[in-house]
Amino acid sequence: MKEKTNNFLKDKMAGRFLPFYLFTFLLILMSCARMGSPDGGWYDDDPPRILGCSPEDKATNVTSKKITIYFDEFIKLADATQNVIVSPPQLEMPEIKAQGKKIVVNLVDSLKPNTTYTVDFSDAISDNNEGNPLGNYTYTFSTGEQIDTFEVAGYVLSADKLEPIQGISVGLYDDFADSAFRTKPMLRISRTDERGYFVIKGVAPGEYRVYALQDADGDFKFSQKSEMIAFSHETHIPSCKPDIRQDTIWRDTLHIDNILRVPYTHFYPDDVVMLAFQEVQTTRNLLKIERQQPDRFTMFFTYGDSLLPVIRGLNFDSDSAFVVEPSIKRDTITYWLRDTTLINQDTLRMDLTYMMTDTLGLLVEHTDSALEVLAKTPYEKRMKQLKKDIEEWQKEQEKLKKNDEPYDSIYPVKPLEPKYNVSSSMDPHRSILIEMPTPLASLDTAAIHLYSKIDTLWYRSPFDFERKDSTLRYYELRADWQPGREYSLEVDSAAFIDIYGLVSKEFKQGIKVKSLDEYSTLVMQTSGVQDTAIVMQLLDKSENIVQQVKAEADGSAAFFYITPGVYYVRAFIDRNGNSRWDTGLYDDDLQPEDVYYYHRSIECKAKWDNTLQWNMTERKRYLQKPGELVKQKNSKNKKKQMNRNADRAKRLGMEYVKQNTIKVINNESKNSKK
């Protein structure tokens, strides 16, 4: 009897404490769940469905220019002007609008006879509520007896960096005359997506050339030099054959539900590569003349010329009045005023004669008469500021004098301040660059000294000092820098004197050349191209050029003194031997210089020598550039989200557990009371 009583008490106590345990479990569970109450209903993850079209999709003998596409729900159309492509190209922009549960397309151009028309919506159609895209959808009809179904696909890349070009038009021509691209609109067109990928649909049997055009004026032909283009003499004959592809069915973003083998029609060619470029803008016009500083004025032209402008002064004597500083491309020319009287003159009036492009595209001599070049800051204002500066300086000197501190009685003359591009740590293959703020009147190389430290003693070290290339104000100091050695660069005062009489101060900088143990070496051994004029470039993660070298006759190129890090390699075929990449020219049938990328990154470590084999043509151009360097990213990858219904199912499962736990607690409470 006693044992039965004890068991009864245990059961009662367990019954009383069970709700407590369940309630504690519920609190823990709810703390892990999402804050807030669940929203109602499942998400709509289904794209809109097409119920029908008028005229029907793939209809023949069509005469109507109005197309209506009906859907099972309200839809929206994203930027029809940019995303929807009508082919053949329409010179008059078609009207394309979303209206409730339908899309209406009104073609303005006259319909061509016996022609297949395609309206490619890409992924611009989505439902109105959740934004679920319909996917790539193309509506097709024909004004003749049959539908043309061939396709031509490929990629458009920038010729200089193999970067995918988005939104450029790609079209076909069955006229193989070079003049067709300039005189006739494209037969059929498409537009590239974020990957630079294009598909031209509704192509009739035949042979075609492919062109790309960044159409500035909407005439679907190359009519302006500023338009980006790509062309090739290669012809393509569209074809197709049955094929099998694998489609992956995802349960959610992490789990594969099934992999299906789906038969489909494979259209060829599907890997046309077009390399797009802009021609050099050789049209020459005067853009503007600026006089930001009183001691100089600058002319800006759209293009350079070997002949410099001729100035005839109207209110000043222009003979020997200037020191002329043209840019490397000779499209920007700076005139330094020699005489201080001219510097103090607010307005310079002149006749300017220069070479300019006329309406026929020819360079002719042109004169602009009575031009006025005004100083940005008038002389009177400059003198007021100078007076103010002198007064403030005098006050400072008076304070020093009263405090019996050293002071100056003469207002100091501003010294010449060259910019020395040199640091305490230096690479063995570098040189020292010195930029002068103004043109020099004299230079004393005997006042420049370079010393090297051997053991504990300092010795003079030989060097070369000269003006850099064809510049006016840049000078270069080159020496045979020994790795691991210490140097001292010392410049005496008055080593440099400019055209205004300003004198440089003394300068001293200690330099430690890095040891070879701090560097890596990379050798690229190339194959796959017949050309030997290969220029190789070592790039950093931002695609900046770290080093550039010419490949040897056997195709090998070596990069020395590489700071440890991750790098990339790009090469181009230097046809004209000027060591820089050059663009193409359509009228001269000149393609841009070929560019290639090594397909992956290269890690360079200290004390390591890397030798890599590189077949430059083994990979298609659109597969060469490493993904880390591609600027035009595929936003579809960024927009991937986990399945919202799967997420909702998890949250509803948590809600189900919570509700059932509460029921258990309530039932146990009722039983305990009984």
Side-chain angles (χ1 to χ4, degrees):
M1 185 70 180
K2 184 177 180 181
E3 183 178 347
K4 289 184 178 180
T5 303
N6 290 336
N7 290 337
F8 174 77
L9 290 174
K10 288 180 181 178
D11 292 339
K12 291 294 288 181
M13 293 297 290
R16 289 178 181 177
F17 284 105
L18 180 61
F20 173 77
Y21 293 136
L22 290 174
F23 183 73
T24 304
F25 171 72
L26 175 62
L27 288 177
I28 296 172
L29 188 65
M30 291 178 66
S31 68
C32 298
R34 182 175 65 90
M35 296 298 292
S37 59
D39 45 4
W42 295 99
Y43 289 106
D44 175 15
D45 276 342
D46 295 325
R49 285 192 307 113
I50 298 173
L51 300 178
C53 306
S54 176
E56 291 184 3
D57 193 4
K58 296 182 175 57
T60 57
N61 297 314
V62 173
T63 58
S64 173
K65 294 195 290 184
K66 181 178 180 180
I67 302 162
T68 307
I69 305 171
Y70 301 94
F71 297 87
D72 64 341
E73 59 180 314
F74 290 97
I75 54 94
K76 56 186 177 183
L77 185 62
D79 195 0
T81 304
Q82 293 296 322
N83 295 326
V84 182
I85 306 295
V86 179
S87 191
Q90 305 293 289
L91 296 179
E92 292 289 332
M93 185 66 67
E95 299 173 0
I96 306 173
K97 295 180 180 179
Q99 299 176 356
K101 295 184 179 181
K102 63 182 180 181
I103 291 177
V104 178
V105 180
N106 285 301
L107 302 179
V108 181
D109 283 2
S110 300
L111 296 179
K112 299 178 181 179
N114 299 314
T115 301
T116 296
Y117 280 77
T118 57
V119 184
D120 188 352
F121 291 92
S122 185
D123 57 357
I125 302 172
S126 59
D127 63 36
N128 193 56
N129 292 327
E130 300 292 344
N132 299 311
L134 174 61
N136 293 324
Y137 171 63
T138 302
Y139 171 85
T140 308
F141 71 89
S142 176
T143 57
E145 296 288 340
Q146 65 181 17
I147 296 286
D148 297 320
T149 59
F150 284 130
E151 298 178 0
V152 175
Y155 297 84
V156 180
L157 311 173
S158 65
D160 58 343
K161 294 184 178 180
L162 302 190
E163 185 74 17
I165 299 179
Q166 181 181 9
I168 191 170
S169 298
V170 188
L172 302 179
Y173 282 93
D174 59 3
D175 185 345
F176 298 157
D178 293 339
S179 60
F181 191 30
R182 285 195 175 276
T183 58
K184 297 180 180 180
M186 297 171 172
L187 291 177
R188 305 200 67 79
I189 65 165
S190 178
R191 197 173 289 144
T192 55
D193 63 13
E194 298 155 324
R195 301 166 297 164
Y197 183 70
F198 68 89
V199 181
I200 305 173
K201 301 179 180 180
V203 180
E207 188 173 3
Y208 301 93
R209 280 185 180 178
V210 183
Y211 292 80
L213 173 67
Q214 202 171 56
D215 197 8
D217 50 10
D219 61 356
F220 301 101
K221 55 188 177 184
F222 180 35
S223 55
Q224 299 184 24
K225 288 180 70 67
S226 60
E227 294 174 327
M228 181 176 284
I229 63 168
F231 71 97
S232 172
H233 293 313
E234 183 181 2
T235 61
H236 303 276
I237 301 176
S239 62
C240 65
K241 70 173 185 178
D243 208 340
I244 300 291
R245 70 166 179 260
Q246 290 186 342
D247 279 2
T248 303
I249 308 300
W250 292 86
R251 185 180 308 157
D252 52 43
T253 55
L254 298 176
H255 303 91
I256 296 175
D257 192 41
N258 198 2
I259 298 178
L260 305 177
R261 289 174 57 83
V262 181
Y264 75 105
T265 302
H266 195 152
F267 292 96
Y268 296 94
D270 62 350
D271 59 353
V272 177
V273 178
M274 304 299 295
L275 301 174
F277 63 93
Q278 279 185 301
E279 296 184 347
V280 174
Q281 305 303 301
T282 56
T283 302
R284 190 169 200 261
N285 293 295
L286 177 63
L287 293 174
K288 60 181 178 179
I289 303 178
E290 287 184 348
R291 191 180 173 190
Q292 298 289 339
Q293 302 296 330
D295 59 357
R296 81 204 78 155
F297 61 88
T298 303
M299 298 180 186
F300 298 88
F301 292 87
T302 55
Y303 192 69
D305 189 74
S306 58
L307 297 177
L308 293 177
V310 176
I311 295 175
R312 186 174 71 88
L314 300 180
N315 63 343
F316 67 96
D317 184 4
S318 55
D319 293 338
S320 303
F322 314 114
V323 174
V324 184
E325 181 183 12
S327 64
I328 294 177
K329 295 182 178 180
R330 303 178 77 86
D331 55 357
T332 304
I333 306 168
T334 299
Y335 293 82
W336 295 84
L337 307 177
R338 292 179 179 272
D339 195 341
T340 54
T341 57
L342 286 184
I343 295 174
N344 296 335
Q345 191 169 319
D346 288 341
T347 304
L348 301 176
R349 293 175 56 246
M350 64 186 72
D351 291 340
L352 181 65
T353 302
Y354 57 94
M355 301 303 291
M356 186 187 78
T357 305
D358 65 6
T359 55
L360 299 177
L362 302 175
L363 275 178
V364 297
E365 191 175 90
H366 174 79
T367 299
D368 289 333
S369 301
L371 287 177
E372 291 189 347
V373 180
L374 280 69
K376 183 178 181 180
T377 306
Y379 174 74
E380 183 178 351
K381 187 175 181 179
R382 299 199 304 271
M383 290 300 101
K384 286 182 179 179
Q385 183 62 47
L386 178 60
K387 183 179 179 182
K388 182 179 178 181
D389 293 342
I390 292 175
E391 289 175 350
E392 290 180 356
W393 175 83
Q394 288 174 338
K395 290 178 181 179
E396 289 291 332
Q397 300 306 310
E398 287 295 329
K399 288 181 181 179
L400 294 173
K401 184 177 180 181
K402 288 180 180 179
N403 295 332
D404 291 330
E405 296 181 27
Y407 68 94
D408 293 323
S409 58
I410 301 176
Y411 187 71
V413 178
K414 182 180 178 182
L416 181 67
E417 298 180 342
K419 293 181 181 178
Y420 296 88
N421 183 20
V422 58
S423 63
S424 57
S425 179
M426 187 170 178
D427 296 324
H429 64 297
R430 302 294 183 189
S431 60
I432 296 174
L433 189 66
I434 304 174
E435 178 187 355
M436 302 298 169
T438 50
L440 295 183
S442 65
L443 163 64
D444 184 7
T445 56
I448 303 172
H449 315 283
L450 182 66
Y451 301 98
S452 62
K453 186 178 181 181
I454 302 176
D455 295 329
T456 58
L457 301 177
W458 290 91
Y459 297 90
R460 286 188 176 273
S461 185
F463 63 90
D464 293 323
F465 188 87
E466 59 187 9
R467 187 179 293 171
K468 182 175 174 60
D469 301 330
S470 57
T471 61
L472 177 67
R473 295 180 294 110
Y474 292 87
Y475 294 83
E476 190 174 25
L477 187 150
R478 294 187 299 273
D480 183 17
W481 308 106
Q482 296 299 310
R485 185 172 294 181
E486 291 184 46
Y487 291 83
S488 178
L489 174 63
E490 301 176 13
V491 181
D492 299 338
S493 60
F496 311 117
I497 303 175
D498 75 354
I499 58 175
Y500 306 119
L502 298 183
V503 178
S504 62
K505 299 186 297 183
E506 64 179 15
F507 174 83
K508 184 175 182 179
Q509 174 69 57
I511 303 169
K512 176 64 181 295
V513 178
K514 296 179 182 179
S515 67
L516 296 180
D517 289 344
E518 299 181 58
Y519 296 102
S520 177
T521 300
L522 173 63
V523 177
M524 302 296 295
Q525 294 181 340
T526 64
S527 61
V529 295
Q530 299 298 321
D531 300 86
T532 58
I534 302 173
V535 172
M536 207 84 68
Q537 296 171 330
L538 187 70
L539 311 175
D540 63 15
K541 293 181 180 179
S542 299
E543 216 168 343
N544 299 313
I545 300 174
V546 178
Q547 287 189 42
Q548 176 172 302
V549 297
K550 290 185 178 181
E552 302 294 334
D554 62 356
S556 63
F559 298 100
F560 300 102
Y561 308 120
I562 302 174
T563 302
V566 176
Y567 296 92
Y568 303 84
V569 172
R570 177 175 65 204
F572 67 90
I573 307 302
D574 190 20
R575 290 194 304 251
N576 57 6
N578 64 355
S579 297
R580 64 173 181 266
W581 180 84
D582 290 294
T583 189
L585 189 62
Y586 183 75
D587 289 338
D588 290 353
D589 193 23
L590 183 66
Q591 291 284 351
E593 291 178 338
D594 288 321
V595 173
Y596 303 90
Y597 275 79
Y598 186 65
H599 65 279
R600 62 178 178 85
S601 62
I602 303 169
E603 184 177 5
C604 295
K605 298 181 180 180
K607 301 182 183 181
W608 278 35
D609 293 338
N610 297 330
T611 300
L612 298 175
Q613 304 294 327
W614 181 18
N615 186 333
M616 297 168 64
T617 57
E618 183 178 16
R619 290 171 173 258
K620 293 280 189 180
R621 297 288 182 91
Y622 61 88
L623 297 174
Q624 288 189 6
K625 189 169 186 176
E628 313 92 279
L629 295 183
V630 175
K631 306 296 188 299
Q632 180 64 55
K633 302 297 183 183
N634 187 352
S635 64
K636 292 180 181 178
N637 293 333
K638 297 178 183 178
K639 295 178 181 177
K640 279 187 177 179
Q641 299 174 350
M642 69 182 303
N643 186 297
R644 294 176 297 170
N645 281 331
D647 179 61
R648 177 167 174 75
K650 293 176 184 177
R651 290 190 282 106
L652 287 180
M654 298 293 286
E655 181 70 14
Y656 175 81
V657 172
K658 184 180 74 172
Q659 295 296 337
N660 278 275
T661 305
I662 292 173
K663 287 180 181 180
V664 172
I665 292 174
N666 291 335
N667 290 335
E668 290 297 332
S669 298
K670 291 177 182 178
N671 292 335
S672 65
K673 290 178 180 178
K674 291 179 181 180

